[in-house]
Amino acid sequence: MNQWGLLTPDPELDMVYPSDTSDANNEELALEHSVAHGNVHGNGTGTGSSPGTTTAPNGDNKVNQRHYEPAERFIITKNVVVIGLAFMIHFTAFHGTSNLQSSVNADKALGTTTLAVIYGSLILSNIFLPMTVIRWFGCRLTMALALFAYMPYIAAQFYPRFETLIPAALMVGFGGGPLWCSKCTYLSTVSEALTQVRGNKSRKDVNTVKFFGLFFIFYQMAQVWGNLISSSVLTLSAPAAQSPANGSFELDVQRELERTRVAELCGARFCPGVGAEANPNLVPPAPEQIQLLNSIFLTCMAAAVVMMIFGVSSLKRYGVKRGDTGDGMSGLKLLTVTINLLRKRRQILMLPITMFIGLEEAFLAVDFTRSFVACGWGISRIGFAMICFGVANAVAAGIAGALVERIGRVTLAGLCAVVNLCLLTYMYNWEAREGDYMSYCTFAAVWGICDGVWLVVVNAFYGILFPNHLIAAYSNFRLWESTGSVIGYIISSQLCTSTKLVILIIFILIGCVGYGLIEYRVWQKQKNLEVMLSD
């Protein structure tokens, strides 16, 4: 039995060495052994782990099978909650800053260039760093050190220049790979421990989805707090608006001109090059407002590092020692496992939907905030719209685990895809209106629901598809999500918003086809196994 409660094949059969020429057969074996107990299919049933001792056949941190006290379930949940709180406080600062970059640091595309550098370096980070760093420091300390690596990015906002922001952005990117891979590995590991604590009362795949859902409740609430802080600081400390001196007639004329200007320049019609001279809504905040905001955010990041160091238990508690990334594999071989996962068909089929997640997050951070909210409502109101995104995102992430258990992963993903396509199509045809806060907030909220579901379902599905390659699988997830983000940030300063919406529609359609093919293959194998077992 492996750590998922599944039959474990010969370790040599499931390795992904460069010299392996039978990848198709290996993939078939991995899927067969998974679906034999129903832990891969979104609507299947599964079994818990049996007592005994096992080790992972290849390159990831795995829980040793052992007995735990019933109270351990509360300690496990506490660890997940503290990790979620630390990420929430940390990304309150990061998201609050990033959402303003395309509008505040718009000169020479400094803001979008910085974001592209972050996600470009994150690609390299996901390839070269996670396994080595986790092997050296363990998951808990890796998360703490990676959170610390984000702090220079906020400090550089006090003096925003290419020579300060670009090096700080590189630090964020190089810290991001180990951060997210160690977080995913930690959650998957404690999900297995909880399965052992509860025995036949729980399933590993359900526990994994629930823990990812619980984490993303906290993580997506960072959008709420970060944007609430930024909007409060920028709005409350802003100078009072001046009314026309000649009364209501000129005021009416001014409002009509603003409505016409917004309809012509904003929303899907927005194109790079539109600035404050064409639309006063795009005038950036005063420097003293930005400095106050940065001071608050820097304090948040320091608090998150302290929480991670002192509030989270080491994985030694669950049989995983620092430096133990598998059966003694070297860092180079672990890197080889990560890269060679791309030879597996199920990984290739997951690439489009993974890249779509990165693309839509980049569009939200840069194009939605600038083309829709800042252009039509004002830069100081970006945070209010993004609060709606954060609340909806957190709620969606929180209920995704329960919905998977009730209606199945496939049904939930299908509903999410339909809603997402409808939203993108409507935004493409929608005519922007001055101060139409209801539309801007509604767009953000529906976007948040879709993003929350995609994050939970796809993150958990990676852990289910690659149970023996957790670190490598999550490294690939972040790698291709980051690739999608980099593409989004690069085209943000080159293409009009309508073109970018079309690109998103194409990616989600291709991604859904790839995801559907994987689910169909899993369903087909489960059906064949049921027939074979009934004979």
Side-chain angles (χ1 to χ4, degrees), residues 58-61 125-138 142 177-178 181-182 185 323-325 329-339 341 468-476:
N58 47 36
D60 292 313
N61 290 348
S125 172
N126 279 304
I127 295 175
F128 295 105
L129 294 182
M131 293 182 174
T132 302
V133 175
I134 294 171
R135 182 186 179 98
W136 287 348
F137 299 105
T142 295
C181 286
S182 57
T185 304
D324 179 16
T325 54
M329 294 173 63
S330 67
L332 180 60
K333 189 169 288 185
L334 290 174
L335 173 61
T336 303
V337 172
T338 300
I339 296 174
L341 271 186
N468 294 325
H469 297 286
L470 282 179
I471 297 179
Y474 288 127
S475 180
N476 268 315

mmCIF file of all heavy atoms in Angstrom, residues 58-61 125-138 142 177-178 181-182 185 323-325 329-339 341 468-476:
data_model
loop_
_atom_site.group_PDB
_atom_site.id
_atom_site.type_symbol
_atom_site.label_atom_id
_atom_site.label_comp_id
_atom_site.label_asym_id
_atom_site.label_seq_id
_atom_site.Cartn_x
_atom_site.Cartn_y
_atom_site.Cartn_z
ATOM 1 N N ASN A 58 9.879 7.204 -5.015
ATOM 2 C CA ASN A 58 10.742 8.148 -5.692
ATOM 3 C C ASN A 58 10.760 9.471 -4.982
ATOM 4 O O ASN A 58 10.727 9.518 -3.793
ATOM 5 C CB ASN A 58 10.331 8.284 -7.167
ATOM 6 C CG ASN A 58 8.854 8.462 -7.295
ATOM 7 O OD1 ASN A 58 8.255 9.114 -6.457
ATOM 8 N ND2 ASN A 58 8.262 7.873 -8.302
ATOM 9 N N GLY A 59 10.773 10.585 -5.758
ATOM 10 C CA GLY A 59 11.286 11.816 -5.197
ATOM 11 C C GLY A 59 10.401 12.734 -4.447
ATOM 12 O O GLY A 59 10.446 13.907 -4.701
ATOM 13 N N ASP A 60 9.628 12.347 -3.468
ATOM 14 C CA ASP A 60 8.860 13.310 -2.697
ATOM 15 C C ASP A 60 8.821 12.950 -1.231
ATOM 16 O O ASP A 60 9.045 11.827 -0.832
ATOM 17 C CB ASP A 60 7.415 13.396 -3.207
ATOM 18 C CG ASP A 60 7.341 14.000 -4.586
ATOM 19 O OD1 ASP A 60 7.988 15.035 -4.788
ATOM 20 O OD2 ASP A 60 6.653 13.436 -5.440
ATOM 21 N N ASN A 61 8.476 13.973 -0.425
ATOM 22 C CA ASN A 61 8.282 13.723 0.996
ATOM 23 C C ASN A 61 6.999 12.936 1.193
ATOM 24 O O ASN A 61 5.944 13.350 0.753
ATOM 25 C CB ASN A 61 8.151 15.054 1.750
ATOM 26 C CG ASN A 61 9.458 15.795 1.802
ATOM 27 O OD1 ASN A 61 10.502 15.232 1.482
ATOM 28 N ND2 ASN A 61 9.405 17.052 2.200
ATOM 29 N N SER A 125 12.659 29.309 -11.084
ATOM 30 C CA SER A 125 12.633 28.854 -9.699
ATOM 31 C C SER A 125 11.944 27.503 -9.582
ATOM 32 O O SER A 125 12.418 26.601 -8.880
ATOM 33 C CB SER A 125 11.920 29.888 -8.829
ATOM 34 O OG SER A 125 11.709 29.418 -7.522
ATOM 35 N N ASN A 126 10.828 27.341 -10.288
ATOM 36 C CA ASN A 126 10.087 26.084 -10.212
ATOM 37 C C ASN A 126 10.859 24.922 -10.818
ATOM 38 O O ASN A 126 10.658 23.766 -10.423
ATOM 39 C CB ASN A 126 8.737 26.240 -10.922
ATOM 40 C CG ASN A 126 7.704 26.909 -10.042
ATOM 41 O OD1 ASN A 126 7.424 26.459 -8.946
ATOM 42 N ND2 ASN A 126 7.155 28.008 -10.516
ATOM 43 N N ILE A 127 11.731 25.214 -11.774
ATOM 44 C CA ILE A 127 12.517 24.145 -12.391
ATOM 45 C C ILE A 127 13.679 23.726 -11.508
ATOM 46 O O ILE A 127 13.926 22.540 -11.277
ATOM 47 C CB ILE A 127 13.039 24.587 -13.770
ATOM 48 C CG1 ILE A 127 11.879 24.818 -14.738
ATOM 49 C CG2 ILE A 127 14.004 23.546 -14.345
ATOM 50 C CD1 ILE A 127 12.300 25.377 -16.082
ATOM 51 N N PHE A 128 14.416 24.709 -10.950
ATOM 52 C CA PHE A 128 15.712 24.413 -10.342
ATOM 53 C C PHE A 128 15.725 24.392 -8.814
ATOM 54 O O PHE A 128 16.588 23.745 -8.222
ATOM 55 C CB PHE A 128 16.754 25.428 -10.824
ATOM 56 C CG PHE A 128 17.046 25.341 -12.294
ATOM 57 C CD1 PHE A 128 16.552 26.287 -13.170
ATOM 58 C CD2 PHE A 128 17.791 24.296 -12.798
ATOM 59 C CE1 PHE A 128 16.817 26.208 -14.528
ATOM 60 C CE2 PHE A 128 18.067 24.202 -14.158
ATOM 61 C CZ PHE A 128 17.574 25.162 -15.029
ATOM 62 N N LEU A 129 14.806 25.097 -8.149
ATOM 63 C CA LEU A 129 14.986 25.324 -6.720
ATOM 64 C C LEU A 129 14.160 24.471 -5.768
ATOM 65 O O LEU A 129 14.668 24.083 -4.710
ATOM 66 C CB LEU A 129 14.729 26.809 -6.401
ATOM 67 C CG LEU A 129 15.722 27.799 -6.994
ATOM 68 C CD1 LEU A 129 15.369 29.215 -6.553
ATOM 69 C CD2 LEU A 129 17.147 27.461 -6.589
ATOM 70 N N PRO A 130 12.872 24.184 -6.016
ATOM 71 C CA PRO A 130 12.035 23.615 -4.951
ATOM 72 C C PRO A 130 12.597 22.368 -4.292
ATOM 73 O O PRO A 130 12.668 22.281 -3.062
ATOM 74 C CB PRO A 130 10.712 23.324 -5.671
ATOM 75 C CG PRO A 130 10.669 24.293 -6.788
ATOM 76 C CD PRO A 130 12.084 24.426 -7.235
ATOM 77 N N MET A 131 12.988 21.377 -5.069
ATOM 78 C CA MET A 131 13.426 20.115 -4.473
ATOM 79 C C MET A 131 14.699 20.292 -3.647
ATOM 80 O O MET A 131 14.817 19.747 -2.554
ATOM 81 C CB MET A 131 13.641 19.080 -5.580
ATOM 82 C CG MET A 131 12.349 18.682 -6.257
ATOM 83 S SD MET A 131 12.635 17.431 -7.513
ATOM 84 C CE MET A 131 10.943 17.076 -7.969
ATOM 85 N N THR A 132 15.634 21.063 -4.198
ATOM 86 C CA THR A 132 16.895 21.270 -3.480
ATOM 87 C C THR A 132 16.675 22.040 -2.183
ATOM 88 O O THR A 132 17.193 21.666 -1.125
ATOM 89 C CB THR A 132 17.892 22.030 -4.374
ATOM 90 O OG1 THR A 132 18.113 21.290 -5.564
ATOM 91 C CG2 THR A 132 19.211 22.232 -3.657
ATOM 92 N N VAL A 133 15.896 23.124 -2.245
ATOM 93 C CA VAL A 133 15.671 23.956 -1.057
ATOM 94 C C VAL A 133 14.887 23.184 -0.003
ATOM 95 O O VAL A 133 15.206 23.233 1.196
ATOM 96 C CB VAL A 133 14.947 25.256 -1.447
ATOM 97 C CG1 VAL A 133 14.605 26.070 -0.206
ATOM 98 C CG2 VAL A 133 15.809 26.085 -2.393
ATOM 99 N N ILE A 134 13.845 22.460 -0.413
ATOM 100 C CA ILE A 134 13.063 21.666 0.540
ATOM 101 C C ILE A 134 13.923 20.565 1.154
ATOM 102 O O ILE A 134 13.808 20.247 2.338
ATOM 103 C CB ILE A 134 11.805 21.084 -0.147
ATOM 104 C CG1 ILE A 134 10.852 22.212 -0.542
ATOM 105 C CG2 ILE A 134 11.090 20.098 0.769
ATOM 106 C CD1 ILE A 134 9.685 21.772 -1.402
ATOM 107 N N ARG A 135 14.803 19.997 0.354
ATOM 108 C CA ARG A 135 15.706 18.961 0.863
ATOM 109 C C ARG A 135 16.637 19.531 1.942
ATOM 110 O O ARG A 135 16.920 18.884 2.939
ATOM 111 C CB ARG A 135 16.518 18.387 -0.301
ATOM 112 C CG ARG A 135 17.476 17.261 0.076
ATOM 113 C CD ARG A 135 18.323 16.879 -1.131
ATOM 114 N NE ARG A 135 19.273 15.827 -0.815
ATOM 115 C CZ ARG A 135 19.094 14.539 -1.066
ATOM 116 N NH1 ARG A 135 17.973 14.152 -1.621
ATOM 117 N NH2 ARG A 135 20.004 13.652 -0.757
ATOM 118 N N TRP A 136 17.119 20.760 1.749
ATOM 119 C CA TRP A 136 18.033 21.387 2.707
ATOM 120 C C TRP A 136 17.331 21.812 3.994
ATOM 121 O O TRP A 136 17.825 21.586 5.092
ATOM 122 C CB TRP A 136 18.687 22.621 2.083
ATOM 123 C CG TRP A 136 19.734 22.324 1.055
ATOM 124 C CD1 TRP A 136 20.313 21.107 0.800
ATOM 125 C CD2 TRP A 136 20.306 23.245 0.133
ATOM 126 N NE1 TRP A 136 21.216 21.225 -0.228
ATOM 127 C CE2 TRP A 136 21.249 22.528 -0.657
ATOM 128 C CE3 TRP A 136 20.140 24.603 -0.118
ATOM 129 C CZ2 TRP A 136 21.994 23.127 -1.662
ATOM 130 C CZ3 TRP A 136 20.885 25.200 -1.107
ATOM 131 C CH2 TRP A 136 21.807 24.471 -1.871
ATOM 132 N N PHE A 137 16.168 22.448 3.850
ATOM 133 C CA PHE A 137 15.554 23.131 4.993
ATOM 134 C C PHE A 137 14.273 22.471 5.499
ATOM 135 O O PHE A 137 13.817 22.797 6.600
ATOM 136 C CB PHE A 137 15.248 24.595 4.632
ATOM 137 C CG PHE A 137 16.456 25.402 4.282
ATOM 138 C CD1 PHE A 137 16.731 25.727 2.963
ATOM 139 C CD2 PHE A 137 17.333 25.832 5.263
ATOM 140 C CE1 PHE A 137 17.845 26.480 2.624
ATOM 141 C CE2 PHE A 137 18.451 26.591 4.935
ATOM 142 C CZ PHE A 137 18.714 26.906 3.610
ATOM 143 N N GLY A 138 13.668 21.586 4.731
ATOM 144 C CA GLY A 138 12.372 21.053 5.112
ATOM 145 C C GLY A 138 11.266 22.019 4.702
ATOM 146 O O GLY A 138 11.506 23.190 4.401
ATOM 147 N N THR A 142 11.453 26.241 4.689
ATOM 148 C CA THR A 142 11.428 26.723 3.306
ATOM 149 C C THR A 142 10.342 27.770 3.122
ATOM 150 O O THR A 142 10.566 28.815 2.495
ATOM 151 C CB THR A 142 11.190 25.552 2.333
ATOM 152 O OG1 THR A 142 12.311 24.667 2.391
ATOM 153 C CG2 THR A 142 11.032 26.050 0.906
ATOM 154 N N GLY A 177 8.875 29.721 -6.100
ATOM 155 C CA GLY A 177 8.870 28.293 -6.431
ATOM 156 C C GLY A 177 8.936 27.408 -5.204
ATOM 157 O O GLY A 177 8.054 26.564 -4.977
ATOM 158 N N PRO A 178 9.966 27.563 -4.358
ATOM 159 C CA PRO A 178 10.017 26.781 -3.122
ATOM 160 C C PRO A 178 8.831 27.024 -2.199
ATOM 161 O O PRO A 178 8.364 26.108 -1.528
ATOM 162 C CB PRO A 178 11.331 27.239 -2.467
ATOM 163 C CG PRO A 178 12.168 27.724 -3.606
ATOM 164 C CD PRO A 178 11.196 28.334 -4.576
ATOM 165 N N CYS A 181 5.647 25.100 -3.668
ATOM 166 C CA CYS A 181 5.850 23.644 -3.682
ATOM 167 C C CYS A 181 5.903 23.094 -2.258
ATOM 168 O O CYS A 181 5.348 22.025 -1.976
ATOM 169 C CB CYS A 181 7.144 23.310 -4.423
ATOM 170 S SG CYS A 181 6.996 23.505 -6.209
ATOM 171 N N SER A 182 6.556 23.807 -1.347
ATOM 172 C CA SER A 182 6.618 23.339 0.042
ATOM 173 C C SER A 182 5.245 23.400 0.695
ATOM 174 O O SER A 182 4.878 22.505 1.466
ATOM 175 C CB SER A 182 7.631 24.165 0.842
ATOM 176 O OG SER A 182 7.310 25.547 0.800
ATOM 177 N N THR A 185 3.237 20.440 -0.757
ATOM 178 C CA THR A 185 3.749 19.184 -0.210
ATOM 179 C C THR A 185 3.333 19.016 1.246
ATOM 180 O O THR A 185 2.951 17.921 1.684
ATOM 181 C CB THR A 185 5.282 19.143 -0.328
ATOM 182 O OG1 THR A 185 5.639 19.340 -1.694
ATOM 183 C CG2 THR A 185 5.838 17.812 0.152
ATOM 184 N N GLY A 323 15.850 16.939 4.656
ATOM 185 C CA GLY A 323 16.790 16.292 3.756
ATOM 186 C C GLY A 323 16.264 14.993 3.199
ATOM 187 O O GLY A 323 16.881 14.400 2.322
ATOM 188 N N ASP A 324 15.100 14.543 3.711
ATOM 189 C CA ASP A 324 14.522 13.284 3.239
ATOM 190 C C ASP A 324 13.500 13.599 2.164
ATOM 191 O O ASP A 324 12.342 13.879 2.447
ATOM 192 C CB ASP A 324 13.856 12.549 4.401
ATOM 193 C CG ASP A 324 13.211 11.243 3.956
ATOM 194 O OD1 ASP A 324 13.539 10.782 2.848
ATOM 195 O OD2 ASP A 324 12.408 10.700 4.722
ATOM 196 N N THR A 325 13.945 13.592 0.909
ATOM 197 C CA THR A 325 13.038 13.872 -0.194
ATOM 198 C C THR A 325 12.709 12.617 -0.972
ATOM 199 O O THR A 325 12.296 12.652 -2.108
ATOM 200 C CB THR A 325 13.668 14.897 -1.160
ATOM 201 O OG1 THR A 325 14.951 14.422 -1.557
ATOM 202 C CG2 THR A 325 13.782 16.233 -0.513
ATOM 203 N N MET A 329 17.510 10.028 -3.337
ATOM 204 C CA MET A 329 17.830 10.576 -4.637
ATOM 205 C C MET A 329 18.559 11.899 -4.504
ATOM 206 O O MET A 329 18.299 12.676 -3.604
ATOM 207 C CB MET A 329 16.536 10.788 -5.448
ATOM 208 C CG MET A 329 15.822 9.519 -5.816
ATOM 209 S SD MET A 329 14.232 9.882 -6.570
ATOM 210 C CE MET A 329 14.774 10.763 -8.035
ATOM 211 N N SER A 330 19.475 12.170 -5.409
ATOM 212 C CA SER A 330 20.203 13.430 -5.400
ATOM 213 C C SER A 330 19.314 14.553 -5.898
ATOM 214 O O SER A 330 18.283 14.327 -6.530
ATOM 215 C CB SER A 330 21.429 13.324 -6.309
ATOM 216 O OG SER A 330 21.020 13.188 -7.664
ATOM 217 N N GLY A 331 19.728 15.799 -5.610
ATOM 218 C CA GLY A 331 18.965 16.946 -6.085
ATOM 219 C C GLY A 331 18.870 16.977 -7.598
ATOM 220 O O GLY A 331 17.838 17.341 -8.162
ATOM 221 N N LEU A 332 19.949 16.579 -8.308
ATOM 222 C CA LEU A 332 19.927 16.571 -9.764
ATOM 223 C C LEU A 332 18.915 15.557 -10.285
ATOM 224 O O LEU A 332 18.171 15.819 -11.229
ATOM 225 C CB LEU A 332 21.321 16.253 -10.308
ATOM 226 C CG LEU A 332 21.451 16.213 -11.836
ATOM 227 C CD1 LEU A 332 21.085 17.566 -12.429
ATOM 228 C CD2 LEU A 332 22.862 15.811 -12.232
ATOM 229 N N LYS A 333 18.853 14.387 -9.642
ATOM 230 C CA LYS A 333 17.906 13.369 -10.095
ATOM 231 C C LYS A 333 16.470 13.798 -9.801
ATOM 232 O O LYS A 333 15.556 13.529 -10.581
ATOM 233 C CB LYS A 333 18.210 12.030 -9.423
ATOM 234 C CG LYS A 333 17.416 10.865 -10.009
ATOM 235 C CD LYS A 333 17.936 9.525 -9.517
ATOM 236 C CE LYS A 333 19.279 9.207 -10.147
ATOM 237 N NZ LYS A 333 19.753 7.849 -9.786
ATOM 238 N N LEU A 334 16.284 14.479 -8.666
ATOM 239 C CA LEU A 334 14.954 15.005 -8.350
ATOM 240 C C LEU A 334 14.533 16.043 -9.389
ATOM 241 O O LEU A 334 13.372 16.109 -9.792
ATOM 242 C CB LEU A 334 14.961 15.621 -6.950
ATOM 243 C CG LEU A 334 15.096 14.644 -5.780
ATOM 244 C CD1 LEU A 334 15.236 15.409 -4.480
ATOM 245 C CD2 LEU A 334 13.925 13.695 -5.717
ATOM 246 N N LEU A 335 15.499 16.893 -9.824
ATOM 247 C CA LEU A 335 15.213 17.851 -10.882
ATOM 248 C C LEU A 335 14.834 17.133 -12.167
ATOM 249 O O LEU A 335 13.920 17.532 -12.885
ATOM 250 C CB LEU A 335 16.434 18.746 -11.109
ATOM 251 C CG LEU A 335 16.376 19.703 -12.309
ATOM 252 C CD1 LEU A 335 15.220 20.675 -12.155
ATOM 253 C CD2 LEU A 335 17.697 20.451 -12.444
ATOM 254 N N THR A 336 15.534 16.033 -12.443
ATOM 255 C CA THR A 336 15.233 15.236 -13.632
ATOM 256 C C THR A 336 13.814 14.687 -13.574
ATOM 257 O O THR A 336 13.097 14.649 -14.578
ATOM 258 C CB THR A 336 16.239 14.079 -13.764
ATOM 259 O OG1 THR A 336 17.563 14.614 -13.803
ATOM 260 C CG2 THR A 336 15.984 13.275 -15.027
ATOM 261 N N VAL A 337 13.379 14.243 -12.377
ATOM 262 C CA VAL A 337 12.005 13.746 -12.206
ATOM 263 C C VAL A 337 11.006 14.841 -12.543
ATOM 264 O O VAL A 337 10.010 14.607 -13.243
ATOM 265 C CB VAL A 337 11.793 13.241 -10.764
ATOM 266 C CG1 VAL A 337 10.325 12.905 -10.534
ATOM 267 C CG2 VAL A 337 12.650 12.017 -10.506
ATOM 268 N N THR A 338 11.263 16.067 -12.070
ATOM 269 C CA THR A 338 10.357 17.183 -12.339
ATOM 270 C C THR A 338 10.221 17.438 -13.830
ATOM 271 O O THR A 338 9.108 17.542 -14.360
ATOM 272 C CB THR A 338 10.879 18.461 -11.650
ATOM 273 O OG1 THR A 338 10.964 18.242 -10.249
ATOM 274 C CG2 THR A 338 9.950 19.632 -11.920
ATOM 275 N N ILE A 339 11.348 17.535 -14.505
ATOM 276 C CA ILE A 339 11.319 17.842 -15.934
ATOM 277 C C ILE A 339 10.696 16.701 -16.727
ATOM 278 O O ILE A 339 9.896 16.922 -17.650
ATOM 279 C CB ILE A 339 12.746 18.142 -16.431
ATOM 280 C CG1 ILE A 339 13.284 19.409 -15.754
ATOM 281 C CG2 ILE A 339 12.772 18.300 -17.952
ATOM 282 C CD1 ILE A 339 14.726 19.714 -16.076
ATOM 283 N N LEU A 341 8.470 14.591 -15.846
ATOM 284 C CA LEU A 341 7.020 14.416 -15.720
ATOM 285 C C LEU A 341 6.305 14.910 -16.978
ATOM 286 O O LEU A 341 5.185 14.492 -17.269
ATOM 287 C CB LEU A 341 6.491 15.184 -14.505
ATOM 288 C CG LEU A 341 6.464 14.469 -13.166
ATOM 289 C CD1 LEU A 341 5.769 15.325 -12.133
ATOM 290 C CD2 LEU A 341 5.777 13.122 -13.262
ATOM 291 N N ASN A 468 2.980 9.789 -6.370
ATOM 292 C CA ASN A 468 4.359 9.410 -6.078
ATOM 293 C C ASN A 468 5.382 10.449 -6.524
ATOM 294 O O ASN A 468 6.583 10.213 -6.454
ATOM 295 C CB ASN A 468 4.681 8.066 -6.754
ATOM 296 C CG ASN A 468 3.867 6.936 -6.168
ATOM 297 O OD1 ASN A 468 3.585 6.924 -4.972
ATOM 298 N ND2 ASN A 468 3.460 5.992 -7.010
ATOM 299 N N HIS A 469 4.893 11.593 -7.011
ATOM 300 C CA HIS A 469 5.784 12.664 -7.470
ATOM 301 C C HIS A 469 5.233 14.012 -6.996
ATOM 302 O O HIS A 469 5.113 14.954 -7.786
ATOM 303 C CB HIS A 469 5.883 12.684 -9.004
ATOM 304 C CG HIS A 469 6.475 11.457 -9.603
ATOM 305 N ND1 HIS A 469 7.817 11.169 -9.545
ATOM 306 C CD2 HIS A 469 5.910 10.439 -10.285
ATOM 307 C CE1 HIS A 469 8.049 10.026 -10.171
ATOM 308 N NE2 HIS A 469 6.904 9.562 -10.618
ATOM 309 N N LEU A 470 4.901 14.137 -5.732
ATOM 310 C CA LEU A 470 4.199 15.335 -5.273
ATOM 311 C C LEU A 470 4.976 16.619 -5.537
ATOM 312 O O LEU A 470 4.451 17.578 -6.111
ATOM 313 C CB LEU A 470 3.878 15.221 -3.780
ATOM 314 C CG LEU A 470 2.689 14.328 -3.406
ATOM 315 C CD1 LEU A 470 2.513 14.309 -1.904
ATOM 316 C CD2 LEU A 470 1.427 14.819 -4.086
ATOM 317 N N ILE A 471 6.228 16.676 -5.082
ATOM 318 C CA ILE A 471 7.001 17.905 -5.247
ATOM 319 C C ILE A 471 7.190 18.213 -6.722
ATOM 320 O O ILE A 471 7.034 19.355 -7.164
ATOM 321 C CB ILE A 471 8.361 17.807 -4.530
ATOM 322 C CG1 ILE A 471 8.162 17.656 -3.022
ATOM 323 C CG2 ILE A 471 9.205 19.041 -4.805
ATOM 324 C CD1 ILE A 471 9.456 17.527 -2.239
ATOM 325 N N ALA A 472 7.520 17.192 -7.509
ATOM 326 C CA ALA A 472 7.720 17.394 -8.940
ATOM 327 C C ALA A 472 6.426 17.859 -9.617
ATOM 328 O O ALA A 472 6.446 18.743 -10.482
ATOM 329 C CB ALA A 472 8.218 16.105 -9.578
ATOM 330 N N ALA A 473 5.299 17.285 -9.222
ATOM 331 C CA ALA A 473 4.022 17.656 -9.830
ATOM 332 C C ALA A 473 3.657 19.098 -9.507
ATOM 333 O O ALA A 473 3.254 19.862 -10.390
ATOM 334 C CB ALA A 473 2.923 16.710 -9.337
ATOM 335 N N TYR A 474 3.794 19.488 -8.236
ATOM 336 C CA TYR A 474 3.451 20.856 -7.865
ATOM 337 C C TYR A 474 4.454 21.855 -8.426
ATOM 338 O O TYR A 474 4.121 23.012 -8.692
ATOM 339 C CB TYR A 474 3.344 20.983 -6.346
ATOM 340 C CG TYR A 474 2.103 20.311 -5.805
ATOM 341 C CD1 TYR A 474 2.188 19.371 -4.780
ATOM 342 C CD2 TYR A 474 0.853 20.594 -6.327
ATOM 343 C CE1 TYR A 474 1.054 18.741 -4.283
ATOM 344 C CE2 TYR A 474 -0.285 19.971 -5.843
ATOM 345 C CZ TYR A 474 -0.183 19.055 -4.826
ATOM 346 O OH TYR A 474 -1.305 18.441 -4.351
ATOM 347 N N SER A 475 5.688 21.420 -8.614
ATOM 348 C CA SER A 475 6.669 22.269 -9.275
ATOM 349 C C SER A 475 6.240 22.539 -10.714
ATOM 350 O O SER A 475 6.317 23.668 -11.203
ATOM 351 C CB SER A 475 8.044 21.594 -9.250
ATOM 352 O OG SER A 475 9.006 22.408 -9.897
ATOM 353 N N ASN A 476 5.772 21.504 -11.393
ATOM 354 C CA ASN A 476 5.280 21.683 -12.760
ATOM 355 C C ASN A 476 4.035 22.556 -12.794
ATOM 356 O O ASN A 476 3.852 23.367 -13.714
ATOM 357 C CB ASN A 476 4.984 20.324 -13.394
ATOM 358 C CG ASN A 476 6.170 19.772 -14.151
ATOM 359 O OD1 ASN A 476 6.818 20.486 -14.901
ATOM 360 N ND2 ASN A 476 6.478 18.505 -13.950
#
